[in-house]
Amino acid sequence: MNSRREFLAFLAASPLALGADDVIKSPKDALDIMDFEEPARRAIPIAHWAYMATGVDDDATLRANREGLTRLKLRPRRLVDVSKTDCSIELFGTKWPSPVYISACGSQKAFHADGELGTARAAKAKNAAQMLSTVSSTSVEDVAAALGRPPWYQMYAPRQWDGVEHMVHRVEAAGCTVLFLTVDVNPGRNTETQRRLSKADTRNCTVCHGAAGPGSRHTPMFEGIEGGMNSQSMTWDFVDRLRKLTKMKLLIKGIDTHEDATLAVEHGVDGMVVSNHGGRAMDSDRATINVLPEVIDAVRGRVPVLVDSGFRRGSDVFKALALGATAVGIGRPYLWGLGAFGQAGVERVLDIFHAEVLLTMRQCGTRSVSEITREYVQV
Ligand SMILES: Cc1cc2nc3c(=O)[nH]c(=O)nc-3n(C[C@H](O)[C@H](O)[C@H](O)COP(=O)(O)O)c2cc1C
């Protein structure tokens, strides 16, 4: 038995615990982010849960992200006055109270009727950055209205160039100033766990929401755009073209090697996200926390480096900051909050991350993000 969670699962299965149900009934009951997973699983239709939970192939990258983070240890310094601690960061001229941002996750109405609007209202309440997915179930205009500012926009590139222009001009008109081009699913992927779990859902999806994907009424960002997205033939030439097309800050999401980090800077991007799509792109990838140092070293501070995939604790976030990340994205944690309790769940997830980041900072003897350096982790 190697984890507290496994131990709790063991206890729950024992006759001593028969009848006990410690699944939280309200966001305020949550002691940690993982407390939202089970109520979300119970609230969400199994096929939609499968879409959220899945990795690819054997889900090895999904597990590697967590293993990488738990293996890395902290080096706390004692007897530092940590009575005033601030974890705010600045990115592209905006100050955010927390380094944790909401990463792009598609089709959020599959998890709660409020979908991306519930997430946006929570992000507004907590002053958190929200990245909106191309395959959002709500338009960028409506999300911007609920958020009170334009979101960051994540692009799965339409296959035809005129579709790219159409989408970019639309998000510019909505006021977006930061664009993330996701590149890690271009080759295709095998979401085997999703397909296995979905078999248990015998309902006919098309009755409820039609075919998902570009062109469907559930992907409003594809309105007026023909053809699919995420071309297997995309290369750095596409990045050059996109760079010329827009003045928005352009970041690449899905960088996993120092070679590509160097190329990204050479091609004029404004930043990048070290990400393996939460273990959903390819298997046998490394934990992003293990990729981060080589990317940071290659980038040499020229542009901000963000990271996501597997972050569940404030201490995880602290480790990424220590290795040089500017901000940390979360996916499933806020989807669990949304699925279980809507906006209030997302708010509580953000609050717990914030409190845990501050606690880890105090425990390590750091008072601001700029004080969190590599000396605080055992690499
Ligand atoms: C259900 C789901 C949908 C996602 N949809 C997108 C998407 O549309 N675009 C994208 O760039 N990343 C997408 N992601 C990846 C997230 O942006 C993020 O990289 C990942 O979830 C972080 O890992 P975590 O879930 O372990 O926190 C999705 C992730 C999940 C779980």
Side-chain angles (χ1 to χ4, degrees), residues 135-340:
V135 287
S136 168
S137 33
T138 307
S139 71
V140 66
E141 295 83 5
D142 290 350
V143 168
L147 185 60
R149 60 174 173 265
W152 295 346
Y153 186 74
Q154 174 272 326
M155 187 163 81
Y156 284 139
R159 292 209 185 119
Q160 317 287 344
W161 182 252
D162 60 354
V164 175
E165 288 179 329
H166 183 95
M167 190 178 279
V168 165
H169 292 149
R170 178 173 173 183
V171 300
E172 285 173 338
C176 297
T177 56
V178 185
L179 179 71
F180 292 79
L181 174 69
T182 298
V183 296
D184 51 12
V185 291
N186 287 341
R189 56 179 167 163
N190 173 28
T191 50
E192 194 172 311
T193 296
Q194 174 179 1
R195 287 192 283 154
R196 257 179 228 292
L197 285 178
S198 298
K199 285 185 196 162
D201 206 328
T202 50
R203 286 165 296 179
N204 179 357
C205 301
T206 55
V207 172
C208 171
H209 58 70
S216 100
R217 69 193 156 88
H218 296 278
T219 47
M221 296 312 295
F222 265 87
E223 263 164 36
I225 297 176
E226 299 294 321
M229 59 185 189
N230 293 336
S231 169
Q232 292 180 354
S233 61
M234 187 191 286
T235 66
W236 289 100
D237 290 344
F238 180 88
V239 176
D240 295 338
R241 245 179 138 182
L242 187 60
R243 176 68 293 178
K244 286 201 195 88
L245 177 67
T246 181
K247 294 209 163 22
M248 285 187 282
K249 298 291 180 195
L250 174 61
L251 292 90
I252 297 190
K253 178 172 180 283
I255 295 290
D256 280 340
T257 58
H258 70 83
E259 293 90 336
D260 282 343
T262 300
L263 280 170
V265 175
E266 285 170 6
H267 285 266
V269 303
D270 299 293
M272 65 196 74
V273 188
V274 173
S275 172
N276 53 39
H277 219 104
R280 299 161 72 82
M282 64 169 237
D283 231 8
S284 290
D285 209 348
R286 294 172 291 167
T288 53
I289 197 72
N290 295 334
V291 173
L292 192 55
E294 71 177 58
V295 168
I296 293 288
D297 290 346
V299 168
R300 287 183 276 114
R302 288 172 288 176
V303 294
V305 175
L306 285 56
V307 65
D308 72 32
S309 299
F311 290 80
R312 303 289 180 264
R313 284 281 187 187
S315 52
D316 297 336
V317 175
F318 182 96
K319 289 169 188 175
L321 299 175
L323 293 177
T326 300
V328 175
I330 52 168
R332 294 179 189 84
Y334 80 86
L335 296 180
W336 295 334
L338 180 72

Side-chain angles (χ1 to χ4, degrees), residues 308-378:
D308 72 32
S309 299
F311 290 80
R312 303 289 180 264
R313 284 281 187 187
S315 52
D316 297 336
V317 175
F318 182 96
K319 289 169 188 175
L321 299 175
L323 293 177
T326 300
V328 175
I330 52 168
R332 294 179 189 84
Y334 80 86
L335 296 180
W336 295 334
L338 180 72
F341 303 108
Q343 176 186 344
V346 181
E347 287 190 27
R348 180 86 175 118
V349 165
L350 293 171
D351 278 345
I352 291 175
F353 264 115
H354 193 234
E356 287 190 357
V357 171
L358 288 174
L359 178 61
T360 311
M361 285 177 70
R362 289 199 301 275
Q363 289 169 333
C364 286
T366 53
R367 290 157 296 200
S368 66
V369 169
S370 63
E371 286 185 359
I372 307 173
T373 58
R374 279 195 193 183
E375 283 89 73
Y376 293 92
V377 286
Q378 175 85 57

